[in-house]
């Protein structure tokens, strides 16, 4: 079925206040760890994106019981512990790299489990060597299709390792930590830059024996086999979803948008530093902590004179998922912006370097592809119709939508419903702010 979106120039400002839906990364962790507390707890404000629901469905197959109290709040009952199925069980991770990689770590350490991880077309192309290798060092038994899905796992007792992660990847780090949570001894991960630390924060919140810090080996995280303490968990709003509205506020003439309840954890908030660099009018208010995650409200105002910006090095893991929409911001800047050191963009839901460069070229934007990023020259006006392929990549679809608001001509965004992967409420919120009026 075709689900293409026909876009139109946004004539009027976008304005008002929205509450951003819950964080996808934190929801995955909350669903995973709530399944391990051997008790009944409440998990408040879960992401209803398809990715997170995959994780929930997988734990249902392991005997975890869920009772929704309202749309996003649920009681998770894991009192009986995980019930390991007798037969080989297939777990379908859909589009979710986080589900596949994190659960592969945990399940490798579950004695007696025999399971196969599968996923959709996009996930089946994504590299899994990054987790197969370190988990293999721990003794995990994982068969793969040339380091891609399907992954066939035989769970067993593992040995602790110290792993020097070549890249700052939260999925790799979390996969090893979840295996380490169930492994005697000290499991340690070192990473060159600090990737998002939601796993560490939630593990500590639930009483796991975990230590984090920085030394001559880089950022480290050590975990010992631990029993978790049952505690209710609440999830902050997703800064990666918020990013689309932040950029809309900055580029659509005379707009002013307030986005409430946004997680601004330092390891995720790289976009805020880019907004400072680009001298965008914005304000952060009402800072508070929710289940130990820094949270706030953000107001962004239209900024006619957006400065070009540079993003590289340690900043990259702090905004890796926001790069598609920051590329749109770069199109609106007065000057040339450079994004580099981001090779891993090629391994996301699509090859985001190639897909973004192709899309911008089709709109006559002056863009140069780099091996590890791109150089974008800002353009005064976008006035070109185009058909943009999303490659079923949710973040591309929403980024192209943001760009369409300032395009004088109509665009078609293909397979737009792939946004349901992370953000089913996206269009509803855009309409609440006056989109289409
Ligand atoms: C995620 C980590 C990031 C990010 C992904 C979600 C996570 O990947 O791109 O969307 O929840 O751990 P890497 O840190 O592995 O690059």
């Amino acid at each position: 079925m075709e689900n293409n979106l026909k876009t139109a120039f946004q004539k009027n400002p976008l304005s008002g206040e929205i509450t951003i839906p819950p964080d996808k990364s934190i929801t995955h962790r909350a669903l995973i760890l709530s399944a391990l507390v051997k008790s009944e707890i409440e998990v408040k404000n879960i992401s209803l994106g398809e990715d997170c629901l995959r994780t929930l469905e997988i734990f249902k197959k392991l005997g975890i019981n869920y009772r929704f109290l309202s749309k996003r709040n649920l009681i998770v009952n894991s009192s009986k512990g995980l019930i390991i199925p007798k037969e080989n069980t297939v777990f379908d991770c859909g589009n979710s790299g986080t589900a596949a990689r994190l659960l592969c770590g945990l399940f490798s350490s579950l004695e007696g489990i025999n399971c196969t991880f599968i996923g959709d077309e996009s996930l089946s192309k994504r590299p899994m060597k990054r987790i197969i290798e370190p988990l293999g060092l721990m003794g995990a038994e994982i068969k793969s299709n040339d380091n891609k899905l399907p992954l066939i796992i035989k769970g067993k007792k593992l040995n602790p390792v110290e792993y020097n992660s070549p890249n700052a990847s939260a999925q790799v780090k979390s996969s090893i930590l979840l295996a380490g949570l169930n492994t005697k001894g000290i499991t340690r991960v070192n990473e060159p830059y600090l990737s998002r630390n939601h796993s560490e924060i939630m593990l500590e919140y639930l009483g796991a024996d975990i230590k984090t810090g920085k030394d001559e080996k880089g950022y480290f995280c050590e975990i010992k086999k631990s029993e978790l303490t049952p505690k209710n968990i609440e999830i902050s709003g997703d800064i990666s979803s918020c990013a689309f509205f932040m950029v809309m506020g900055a580029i659509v003439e005379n707009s002013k948008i307030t986005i409430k309840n946004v997680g601004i954890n330092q390891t995720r908030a790289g976009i805020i530093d880019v907004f400072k660099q680009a001298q965008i009018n914005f304000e952060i208010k009402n800072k508070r902590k929710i289940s130990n995650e820094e949270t706030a409200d953000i107001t962004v105002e239209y900024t006619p004179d957006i400065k070009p910006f540079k993003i590289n090095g340690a900043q990259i893991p702090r905004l890796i998922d926001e790069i598609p929409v920051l590329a749109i911001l770069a199109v609106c800047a007065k000057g040339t912006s450079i994004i580099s050191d981001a090779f891993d963009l090629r391994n996301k839901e699509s090859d985001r370097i190639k897909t973004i460069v192709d899309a911008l070229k089709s709109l006559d934007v002056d863009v140069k592809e780099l091996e590890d990023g791109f150089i974008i020259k800002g353009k005064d006006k976008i006035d070109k119709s185009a058909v943009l392929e999303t490659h079923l990549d949710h973040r591309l679809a929403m980024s192209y939508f943001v760009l369409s608001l300032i395009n004088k001509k109509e665009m078609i965004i293909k397979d737009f419903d792939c946004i349901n992967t992370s953000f089913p409420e996206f269009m509803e919120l855009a309409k609440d702010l006056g989109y289409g009026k």
Side-chain angles (χ1 to χ4, degrees):
M1 210 174 69
E2 281 218 333
N3 269 294
N4 302 337
L5 182 81
K6 210 184 263 186
T7 69
F9 177 74
Q10 177 64 26
K11 292 190 204 87
N12 291 314
L14 297 172
S15 65
E17 209 175 82
I18 54 171
T19 298
I20 210 71
D23 189 277
K24 179 158 84 77
S25 287
I26 304 179
T27 300
H28 279 296
R29 278 124 176 116
L31 290 171
I32 295 171
L33 296 182
S34 63
L36 302 179
V37 294
K38 297 197 182 115
S39 181
E40 191 173 83
I41 64 166
E42 184 174 354
V43 180
K44 280 193 199 149
N45 200 30
I46 67 158
S47 160
L48 300 173
E50 284 166 1
D51 270 14
C52 293
L53 297 181
R54 293 284 179 181
T55 294
L56 187 146
E57 288 302 322
I58 290 173
F59 280 107
K60 268 192 192 164
K61 288 191 173 176
L62 295 177
I64 303 301
N65 204 282
Y66 297 97
R67 183 160 50 87
F68 275 86
L69 298 177
S70 57
K71 193 174 165 202
R72 297 184 192 283
N73 295 356
L74 78 169
I75 299 288
V76 180
N77 190 334
S78 61
S79 310
K80 294 189 187 130
L82 295 177
I83 298 166
I84 307 292
K86 294 211 168 59
E87 291 90 44
N88 190 316
T89 311
V90 174
F91 296 126
D92 188 350
C93 299
N95 192 251
S96 178
T98 307
R101 295 190 177 121
L102 269 57
L103 294 179
C104 185
L106 177 66
F107 292 1
S108 292
S109 73
L110 293 182
E111 270 177 273
I113 198 167
N114 284 299
C115 58
T116 305
F117 281 88
I118 57 167
D120 70 6
E121 205 186 312
S122 148
L123 185 59
S124 302
K125 287 189 205 143
R126 294 178 68 184
M128 293 295 153
K129 190 172 174 196
R130 55 186 65 196
I131 51 153
I132 295 175
E133 209 165 70
L135 294 171
L137 295 174
M138 296 179 81
E141 253 190 79
I142 305 171
K143 284 195 193 124
S144 71
N145 171 26
D146 198 16
N147 287 312
K148 304 229 164 66
L149 296 186
L151 301 179
I152 302 171
I153 296 172
K154 235 178 147 177
K156 55 194 273 211
K157 245 192 204 122
L158 301 180
N159 307 309
V161 277
E162 174 170 353
Y163 185 66
N164 292 314
S165 188
N167 301 307
S169 161
Q171 291 178 346
V172 171
K173 175 173 63 178
S174 306
S175 181
I176 301 169
L177 291 179
L178 288 169
L181 179 66
N182 203 24
T183 300
K184 270 200 185 136
I186 301 174
T187 298
R188 177 173 161 130
V189 185
N190 303 313
E191 52 180 355
Y193 302 129
L194 187 57
S195 64
R196 65 188 67 187
N197 60 0
H198 304 304
S199 300
E200 298 92 301
I201 289 179
M202 198 175 293
L203 280 161
E204 196 182 356
Y205 175 76
L206 296 173
D209 196 340
I210 185 166
K211 198 166 104 190
T212 56
K214 193 178 177 214
D215 63 13
E216 66 291 345
K217 291 180 182 166
Y219 291 90
F220 73 85
C221 184
E222 284 181 359
I223 192 160
K224 287 187 194 154
K225 190 175 167 85
S226 319
E227 291 295 324
L228 299 178
T229 313
K231 259 166 110 178
N232 293 342
I233 302 170
E234 187 172 343
I235 300 158
S236 311
D238 197 325
I239 193 160
S240 300
S241 301
C242 172
F244 302 107
F245 291 97
M246 288 172 73
V247 175
M248 281 183 215
I251 69 172
V252 175
E253 228 173 286
N254 299 325
S255 294
K256 183 173 179 180
I257 302 179
T258 294
I259 308 128
K260 296 183 81 171
N261 204 36
V262 189
I264 54 159
N265 173 325
Q266 266 303 306
T267 64
R268 288 287 297 284
I271 186 172
I272 291 174
D273 296 334
V274 175
F275 266 45
K276 283 183 190 153
Q277 234 194 101
Q279 294 181 21
I280 287 167
N281 302 322
F282 77 103
E283 203 183 351
I284 299 182
K285 274 201 249 172
N286 197 13
K287 278 195 189 170
R288 60 207 182 269
K289 281 208 169 168
I290 295 184
S291 295
N292 283 350
E293 289 279 359
E294 190 95 44
T295 307
D297 303 335
I298 303 178
T299 300
V300 179
E301 271 185 74
Y302 172 60
T303 307
D305 195 17
I306 296 171
K307 301 281 179 264
F309 50 87
K310 282 199 181 114
I311 317 175
N312 51 40
Q315 285 172 308
I316 297 295
R318 299 178 57 235
L319 45 65
I320 185 79
D321 293 340
E322 289 65 82
I323 291 177
V325 77
L326 288 172
I328 306 306
L329 185 70
V331 171
C332 302
K334 305 248 176 309
T336 301
S337 299
I338 307 174
I339 297 171
S340 57
D341 297 330
F343 181 83
D344 212 30
L345 279 180
R346 295 194 184 274
N347 295 317
K348 295 295 175 186
E349 286 82 332
S350 69
D351 174 345
R352 286 184 178 155
I353 295 181
K354 185 172 175 344
T355 48
I356 291 168
V357 167
D358 287 350
L360 294 184
K361 278 189 176 159
S362 72
L363 290 162
D364 291 344
V365 175
D366 185 347
V367 53
K368 182 168 182 261
E369 179 171 350
L370 307 173
E371 187 61 7
D372 61 352
F374 31 73
I375 302 176
I376 297 173
K377 197 165 160 213
K379 199 165 159 43
D380 276 349
K381 205 164 72 184
I382 303 285
D383 195 359
K384 176 114 197 269
S385 34
V387 178
L388 298 185
E389 295 289 342
T390 56
H391 306 273
L392 300 177
D393 182 335
H394 54 130
R395 298 202 199 281
L396 292 187
M398 292 182 275
S399 301
Y400 298 157
F401 174 85
V402 174
L403 184 62
S404 79
L405 300 174
I406 55 153
N407 187 352
K408 295 273 188 313
K409 299 258 165 65
E410 177 186 291
M411 295 180 356
I412 305 283
I413 307 177
K414 298 284 282 290
D415 303 309
F416 191 73
D417 61 344
C418 66
I419 65 168
N420 293 334
T421 293
S422 64
F423 201 172
E425 310 83 350
F426 179 71
M427 289 306 277
E428 205 181 303
L429 293 178
K431 282 179 193 153
D432 286 350
L433 293 170
Y435 164 67
K437 284 188 193 138

